[in-house]
Amino acid sequence: MIVTGPDLDAPGPTIAFANRAMTALTGYLASELVGQSSGLLLGPGSDRAEARRRKRRLLRDGTYTGQALNYRKDGTSYVADWTITAIPARDGGVRGWLAIQHDETEQRARVEALAGVEARHHAFFEGIPHLVWQSHDGGDWCASSPQWKVFTGQSETASHGAGWREMIDPRDLATTDEAWRLATETGVLAIEHRIRRHDGAYRWFQTRALPVPANAPRGRDRIWIGTSTDVDDLRGAEDRIRHLAFHDVLTDLGNRSLLQDVLSRMTREGPDLLSFNLLFLDVDDFKLVNDQLGHRGGDEVLRGISRRLLGRLRDRDVVVRVGGDEFVLVQANARPEDGWRLAERIRRRMGEPFAIDGKELRVSACIGMASFPNDGLSADQLLRRADLALYSAKTEGGGHVRHFEPPMEFARQERLAMQTGLTRAVERNELTVVYQAVCEPCTGMVHAYEALARWIHPEHGAISPAAFIPVAEESGLIGPIGHWILERACRDATGRAFGSRTVAVNLSPAQFRSGRLLQTVLDALDRTGLAPERLELEVTERLLMDSDEGVDRTLRDIKAAGVRIALDDFGTGYSNLGYLCRFPFDRLKIDQSFVRRMDEDDGARNVVAGIIALAHSLRLRVTAEGVETEEQLAMLRTMGCDQVQGFLLGRPVPASDPGMTR
Ligand code: C2E
Ligand code: MG
Ligand code: MG
């Protein structure tokens, strides 16, 4: 407090008195203040114009309150809150002025800090890209940010109370209300729900809220601060990722993971609750489809197949694509006989032609079945057994359906045992070669001998090549075995029994894959001294189906070395006449299945006659295989078949057999 004299017109009213608080605040001694102008307290930052205005107001009103920046003796500043009033004189004039000042610095700092918080809070509330709101307990809203209005089109006041609930997708209202109920107990609100945009579209939001204490009327002692974040895009991406993880991109059917999921769920339900069938389907010769239509066409066929499969299913059934041309169907709540019926329906539907790029194409598929719970209680076992049944169906030929039977399991074990045995067969000299005559049909003269492999197993006796060659192919043993047979046949052919006859050796497609076949052939000829013209190699259509440029080149190189090439078993595979033109074969061998049916089947007879005529027009010589009766031989003669082979003319015999020299 200071007291000054009355003269306000002076440069600064003279201080007449200063109390202790004043000296403490300013740092001046009372003696240093008294007698000085009150302008002493002004400093470089003080607003002198304001000081003059203050003086004028004081004169006019006789009182003044306001703030000013004042300076202490040590030069530091402080904000002073001034209250100045006139001290009345007895004559009604002014005796002097009583000025009371408070140091407002701290208070002002507090206010400024608060204003900062407020501003930040405001910026947060309005600036962040989320919908922000405040609520009392239970979702009784008391504020919403401008973004709420921008997004929903609902005004801030309309959102108050329960107004905001109108913007929640009715499908999510129950869960939203439940979340609020829970939040009251747990102190956290967490929910995902759809909120309606101003244009009526719904988007997914993730809403979170936490309570903060508030000075509010009793019973309403907390305020929830909530944010709602748009997660619609995120959820979309999540859905897409989840979809991709469980679906096949090409057909959009489920994939192997989905199948595992479905099966483990169904097997968990247990045999008391349900039974179902697993159908494992594999398209026959899909490679051929790809060859004919290209990969794009092949993909189109796979999509077509998936549509056809879907069309055969009921609601709870599932179809997935587990591999290139492999599909698995789960027929829910079904007995084994229902599986047969479904398989039959699928087979029929698959048989209908596909029209792709103006081409008409037919495909077939084999199906292997296993039933829960009869054939297995776990997903793995069921899949393995359905696969075994499929394998067995495949060995029967295209379009077959088989249900799992326990012996199939042994068949696989046998194959494994055979594989182990074969590994040692070469070292132990268990392999041998027998020869079957290929004759001229009219004279019966032997032109050539076909080398046929035999495995004389120490326990099981002679094993047919039809049984062990596929195992050798599967296990990679075909390389060394094929090599051995070739060299053995070439060596036998240089023996006296053969004379100058040709020896025919069968090659399997796997032997072409090594890339060393040409060298193997040349080595065999070289080591045995057999003239290349006396060697004929028999390949099947299977080789050409899987073929690439490498196969064509190897065939041409072998032919260029003087060795002849024959197409074996013609008519069993795809009988694609294109193969005949693509490669200049020397000979075509008509499969025994046609020859066998010639006796009673006009169709078979016509086919054989047709093949012979066609081959001749392509300058190919023709051998008929599997001739067992005189009738067959007579027919083949009239058809002009070049050579015949079969039990009628001679069974396969060892090279040492006296019959060889005939
Ligand atoms: P393939 O080359 O068509 O050989 C003819 C098969 O028919 C031989 O069976 C032969 O014994 C049999 N056969 C001949 N005439 C008659 C007949 O009048 N009636 C009947 N029912 N069958 C007759 P095999 O020796 O069991 O050979 C089966 C197949 O195994 C051969 O068919 C050939 O594809 C393959 N094979 C045989 N030896 C070898 C080999 O050394 N290497 C390769 N990669 N495959 C071989
Ligand atoms: Mg053959
Ligand atoms: Mg054959």
Side-chain angles (χ1 to χ4, degrees), residues 450-452 505-506 538 568-569 589 625 645:
E450 178 175 5
L452 297 163
V505 179
N506 293 283
E538 297 190 1
D568 202 359
D569 300 349
K589 298 184 78 171
E625 295 184 292
Q645 184 183 359

PDB file of all heavy atoms in Angstrom, residues 450-452 505-506 538 568-569 589 625 645, ligand 2:
ATOM      1  N   GLU A 450      11.060-108.177 -78.437  1.00  0.00           N
ATOM      2  CA  GLU A 450      10.875-107.079 -77.484  1.00  0.00           C
ATOM      3  C   GLU A 450      11.427-107.517 -76.139  1.00  0.00           C
ATOM      4  O   GLU A 450      11.086-108.605 -75.647  1.00  0.00           O
ATOM      5  CB  GLU A 450       9.397-106.683 -77.329  1.00  0.00           C
ATOM      6  CG  GLU A 450       9.233-105.567 -76.286  1.00  0.00           C
ATOM      7  CD  GLU A 450       7.802-105.033 -76.164  1.00  0.00           C
ATOM      8  OE1 GLU A 450       6.889-105.568 -76.810  1.00  0.00           O
ATOM      9  OE2 GLU A 450       7.628-104.064 -75.389  1.00  0.00           O
ATOM     10  N   ALA A 451      12.267-106.690 -75.564  1.00  0.00           N
ATOM     11  CA  ALA A 451      12.854-106.989 -74.255  1.00  0.00           C
ATOM     12  C   ALA A 451      11.862-106.591 -73.172  1.00  0.00           C
ATOM     13  O   ALA A 451      11.393-105.459 -73.138  1.00  0.00           O
ATOM     14  CB  ALA A 451      14.159-106.223 -74.079  1.00  0.00           C
ATOM     15  N   LEU A 452      11.529-107.549 -72.306  1.00  0.00           N
ATOM     16  CA  LEU A 452      10.587-107.254 -71.213  1.00  0.00           C
ATOM     17  C   LEU A 452      11.266-107.595 -69.894  1.00  0.00           C
ATOM     18  O   LEU A 452      11.792-108.692 -69.724  1.00  0.00           O
ATOM     19  CB  LEU A 452       9.301-108.061 -71.398  1.00  0.00           C
ATOM     20  CG  LEU A 452       8.511-107.733 -72.671  1.00  0.00           C
ATOM     21  CD1 LEU A 452       7.507-108.828 -72.995  1.00  0.00           C
ATOM     22  CD2 LEU A 452       7.798-106.387 -72.535  1.00  0.00           C
ATOM     23  N   VAL A 505      13.391-102.119 -76.897  1.00  0.00           N
ATOM     24  CA  VAL A 505      13.503-101.886 -75.452  1.00  0.00           C
ATOM     25  C   VAL A 505      12.514-100.795 -75.039  1.00  0.00           C
ATOM     26  O   VAL A 505      12.399 -99.762 -75.716  1.00  0.00           O
ATOM     27  CB  VAL A 505      14.947-101.466 -75.067  1.00  0.00           C
ATOM     28  CG1 VAL A 505      15.045-101.197 -73.569  1.00  0.00           C
ATOM     29  CG2 VAL A 505      15.937-102.544 -75.486  1.00  0.00           C
ATOM     30  N   ASN A 506      11.803-101.052 -73.962  1.00  0.00           N
ATOM     31  CA  ASN A 506      10.823-100.064 -73.473  1.00  0.00           C
ATOM     32  C   ASN A 506      11.519 -98.996 -72.626  1.00  0.00           C
ATOM     33  O   ASN A 506      12.377 -99.301 -71.813  1.00  0.00           O
ATOM     34  CB  ASN A 506       9.769-100.758 -72.614  1.00  0.00           C
ATOM     35  CG  ASN A 506       8.909-101.707 -73.432  1.00  0.00           C
ATOM     36  OD1 ASN A 506       8.027-101.292 -74.158  1.00  0.00           O
ATOM     37  ND2 ASN A 506       9.214-102.995 -73.323  1.00  0.00           N
ATOM     38  N   GLU A 538      10.926 -98.174 -77.427  1.00  0.00           N
ATOM     39  CA  GLU A 538       9.467 -97.996 -77.386  1.00  0.00           C
ATOM     40  C   GLU A 538       9.114 -96.953 -76.322  1.00  0.00           C
ATOM     41  O   GLU A 538       9.529 -97.071 -75.167  1.00  0.00           O
ATOM     42  CB  GLU A 538       8.786 -99.330 -77.046  1.00  0.00           C
ATOM     43  CG  GLU A 538       9.023-100.396 -78.104  1.00  0.00           C
ATOM     44  CD  GLU A 538       8.146-101.635 -77.896  1.00  0.00           C
ATOM     45  OE1 GLU A 538       7.333-101.650 -76.934  1.00  0.00           O
ATOM     46  OE2 GLU A 538       8.279-102.577 -78.691  1.00  0.00           O
ATOM     47  N   ASP A 568       4.397 -96.990 -78.399  1.00  0.00           N
ATOM     48  CA  ASP A 568       3.832 -98.209 -77.810  1.00  0.00           C
ATOM     49  C   ASP A 568       2.410 -97.948 -77.290  1.00  0.00           C
ATOM     50  O   ASP A 568       2.046 -96.806 -77.019  1.00  0.00           O
ATOM     51  CB  ASP A 568       4.747 -98.613 -76.629  1.00  0.00           C
ATOM     52  CG  ASP A 568       4.609-100.086 -76.263  1.00  0.00           C
ATOM     53  OD1 ASP A 568       3.801-100.772 -76.905  1.00  0.00           O
ATOM     54  OD2 ASP A 568       5.326-100.515 -75.335  1.00  0.00           O
ATOM     55  N   ASP A 569       1.653 -99.013 -77.149  1.00  0.00           N
ATOM     56  CA  ASP A 569       0.342 -98.953 -76.492  1.00  0.00           C
ATOM     57  C   ASP A 569      -0.587 -97.911 -77.098  1.00  0.00           C
ATOM     58  O   ASP A 569      -1.376 -97.276 -76.388  1.00  0.00           O
ATOM     59  CB  ASP A 569       0.498 -98.647 -74.992  1.00  0.00           C
ATOM     60  CG  ASP A 569       1.318 -99.695 -74.279  1.00  0.00           C
ATOM     61  OD1 ASP A 569       1.565-100.750 -74.907  1.00  0.00           O
ATOM     62  OD2 ASP A 569       1.717 -99.458 -73.133  1.00  0.00           O
ATOM     63  N   LYS A 589       2.551 -99.166 -82.253  1.00  0.00           N
ATOM     64  CA  LYS A 589       2.083-100.451 -81.734  1.00  0.00           C
ATOM     65  C   LYS A 589       0.671-100.276 -81.176  1.00  0.00           C
ATOM     66  O   LYS A 589       0.463 -99.493 -80.244  1.00  0.00           O
ATOM     67  CB  LYS A 589       3.033-100.955 -80.640  1.00  0.00           C
ATOM     68  CG  LYS A 589       4.443-101.201 -81.164  1.00  0.00           C
ATOM     69  CD  LYS A 589       5.354-101.790 -80.087  1.00  0.00           C
ATOM     70  CE  LYS A 589       5.092-103.270 -79.907  1.00  0.00           C
ATOM     71  NZ  LYS A 589       6.110-103.889 -79.018  1.00  0.00           N
ATOM     72  N   GLU A 625      -0.373-105.723 -80.889  1.00  0.00           N
ATOM     73  CA  GLU A 625       0.076-106.438 -79.690  1.00  0.00           C
ATOM     74  C   GLU A 625      -1.026-107.346 -79.166  1.00  0.00           C
ATOM     75  O   GLU A 625      -2.204-107.095 -79.406  1.00  0.00           O
ATOM     76  CB  GLU A 625       0.386-105.442 -78.560  1.00  0.00           C
ATOM     77  CG  GLU A 625       1.542-104.517 -78.810  1.00  0.00           C
ATOM     78  CD  GLU A 625       1.786-103.657 -77.573  1.00  0.00           C
ATOM     79  OE1 GLU A 625       0.937-102.796 -77.242  1.00  0.00           O
ATOM     80  OE2 GLU A 625       2.824-103.870 -76.939  1.00  0.00           O
ATOM     81  N   GLN A 645       2.336-109.505 -82.555  1.00  0.00           N
ATOM     82  CA  GLN A 645       3.039-109.933 -81.347  1.00  0.00           C
ATOM     83  C   GLN A 645       1.979-110.447 -80.393  1.00  0.00           C
ATOM     84  O   GLN A 645       0.905-109.862 -80.293  1.00  0.00           O
ATOM     85  CB  GLN A 645       3.757-108.717 -80.749  1.00  0.00           C
ATOM     86  CG  GLN A 645       4.620-108.979 -79.549  1.00  0.00           C
ATOM     87  CD  GLN A 645       5.228-107.669 -79.006  1.00  0.00           C
ATOM     88  OE1 GLN A 645       4.991-106.601 -79.576  1.00  0.00           O
ATOM     89  NE2 GLN A 645       5.983-107.764 -77.936  1.00  0.00           N
TER      90      GLN A 645
HETATM   91 MG    MG B   2       6.479-102.377 -75.285  1.00  0.00          MG
END
